């Protein structure tokens, strides 16, 4: 049996030490000087939903967490003094992503963990009516953004021969869902990218995994469902017949970042109430 306390300090146990680091924000006196034994995690899309829960979960392990998002989160701002800082970043823009990781490398000296949670979704649309601009937007954030962040984090992790990346894919990247001809393929791209990078970087000590959530009680699901009837119909696909929580997804992400998962790489872990096991997309 695994002692639950294993997970609490897991990042400290697994990730290497480095040179002392200073906080990202200019107001250094409002955040503690980063001890050399504190791992550095970057979470994209960390201002809300799954990303926010992941940032909080990693922060609870003692990591310094850099939240990269299009907007700031007030609760995160209040937590700055405990090792959480925010950077505005549009993951679609290569220059933003390069600047983000350059700042993290300069201010902290390394990147130990990357969680790619930035994402957008589209309402179900018949493909013959789908606008190219809408398709491009979804693919740009979900697939291109994940690639850019993996590439930039990977440059540091491969050089240091250590690191963990967890990408947020989706059950829609595993199963066919009619009317989801942008979101589904974008998340399938994330899943395959995860496997490719895991095989490419394993010899450098870098692990790359993904989780594939189903419907989660988070802003993205609220945007997707217009009313309770639509939600009930959607949940007929889910054996557990309920929405997941962002914290349930974050718990699996934390596990994948821990030493207990040290022999896990290239995995796409379903966290969707049994939906992918049932295989229904009707």
């Amino acid at each position: 049996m695994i002692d639950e306390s294993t997970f609490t300090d897991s990042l400290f146990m697994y990730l290497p030490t480095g040179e002392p680091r200073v906080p990202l924000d200019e107001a250094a006196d409002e955040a503690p000087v980063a001890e050399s034994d504190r791992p550095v995690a970057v979470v994209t899309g960390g201002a809300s939903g799954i990303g926010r829960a992941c940032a909080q979960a990693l922060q609870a392990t003692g990591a310094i967490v850099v939240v990269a998002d299009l907007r700031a989160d007030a609760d995160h701002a209040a937590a700055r003094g405990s090792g959480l800082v925010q950077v505005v970043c549009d993951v679609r823009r290569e220059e933003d992503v390069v600047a983000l990781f350059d700042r993290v490398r300069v201010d902290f000296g390394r990147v130990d963990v990357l969680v790619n949670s930035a994402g957008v979704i589209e309402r179900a649309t018949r493909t013959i009516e789908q606008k190219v601009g809408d398709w491009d937007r979804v693919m740009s954030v979900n697939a291109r953004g994940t690639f850019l962040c993996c590439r930039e984090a990977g440059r540091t992790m491969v050089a240091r021969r250590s690191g963990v990346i967890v990408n947020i894919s989706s059950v829609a990247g595993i199963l066919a869902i009619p009317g989801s001809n942008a979101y589904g393929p974008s998340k399938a791209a994330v899943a395959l990218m995860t496997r490719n990078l895991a095989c490419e970087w394993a010899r450098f000590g870098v692990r790359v995994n993904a989780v594939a959530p189903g419907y989660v009680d988070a802003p993205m699901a609220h945007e997707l469902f217009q009313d309770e009837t639509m939600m009930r119909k959607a949940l007929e696909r889910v054996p557990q017949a309920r929405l997941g929580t962002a914290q349930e997804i974050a718990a699996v992400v934390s596990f994948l970042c821990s030493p207990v998962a040290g022999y896990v790489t290239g995995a796409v872990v379903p966290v969707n109430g049994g939906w992918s096991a049932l295989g229904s997309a009707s």
Side-chain angles (χ1 to χ4, degrees):
M1 180 178 294
I2 298 172
D3 188 337
E4 289 183 2
S5 64
T6 302
F7 296 96
T8 304
D9 299 317
S10 60
L11 292 175
F12 287 95
M13 296 160 54
Y14 181 63
L15 298 166
T17 59
E19 295 302 316
R21 301 177 297 275
V22 296
L24 250 173
D25 275 321
E26 290 78 7
D29 58 335
E30 294 188 30
V33 174
E35 299 86 0
S36 61
D37 60 350
R38 297 187 69 183
V40 178
V42 175
V43 180
T44 71
S48 64
I50 292 172
R52 187 171 186 271
C54 289
Q56 292 172 336
L58 291 173
Q59 184 188 17
T61 70
I64 295 171
V65 181
V66 179
V67 172
D69 206 302
L70 284 172
R71 64 182 181 83
D73 178 88
D75 289 339
H76 281 341
R80 273 174 52 195
S82 54
L84 192 150
V85 293
Q86 301 185 82
V87 177
V88 174
C89 176
D90 183 345
V91 298
R92 297 172 297 181
R93 294 169 54 89
E94 183 176 17
E95 56 268 37
D96 277 22
V97 175
V98 170
L100 165 67
F101 285 94
D102 281 349
R103 287 186 64 187
V104 174
R105 281 188 287 263
V106 168
D107 289 359
F108 297 111
R110 72 196 203 206
V111 180
D112 298 308
V113 173
L114 167 64
V115 178
N116 278 309
S117 185
V120 294
I121 197 168
E122 94 264 52
R123 293 190 185 279
T125 306
R126 294 201 306 169
T127 302
I128 58 175
E129 298 172 352
Q130 194 166 32
K131 297 178 180 178
V132 172
D134 293 338
W135 190 91
D136 283 342
R137 170 178 169 269
V138 173
M139 295 297 292
S140 182
V141 175
N142 297 354
R144 174 186 168 93
T146 297
F147 161 74
L148 288 173
C149 291
C150 284
R151 185 190 71 182
E152 292 306 306
R155 286 173 170 167
T156 297
M157 292 177 177
V158 167
R160 290 178 58 84
R161 305 186 77 84
S162 178
V164 181
I165 296 174
V166 181
N167 297 320
I168 306 299
S169 181
S170 170
V171 66
I174 300 173
L175 301 176
I177 301 179
S180 180
N181 206 30
Y183 184 76
S186 75
K187 291 301 188 176
V190 169
L192 187 54
M193 191 186 313
T194 296
R195 296 185 178 104
N196 285 347
L197 292 175
C199 294
E200 181 180 343
W201 291 343
R203 65 193 179 98
F204 299 107
V206 179
R207 295 191 296 109
V208 188
N209 293 292
V211 297
Y215 296 131
V216 174
D217 188 7
M220 189 175 289
H222 300 160
E223 177 184 342
L224 184 62
F225 299 124
Q226 296 176 328
D227 53 47
E228 290 296 322
T229 301
M230 183 180 293
M231 181 177 293
R232 283 196 300 271
K233 179 66 175 176
L235 290 179
E236 291 176 2
R237 305 168 177 169
V238 182
Q240 286 193 336
R242 68 172 178 88
L243 296 175
T245 68
Q247 289 70 31
E248 287 172 321
I249 308 304
V252 178
V253 171
S254 292
F255 162 73
L256 291 172
C257 292
S258 78
V260 183
Y263 200 50
V264 181
T265 195
V268 179
V269 183
V271 190
N272 48 53
W275 180 0
S276 56
L278 181 65
S280 172
S282 60

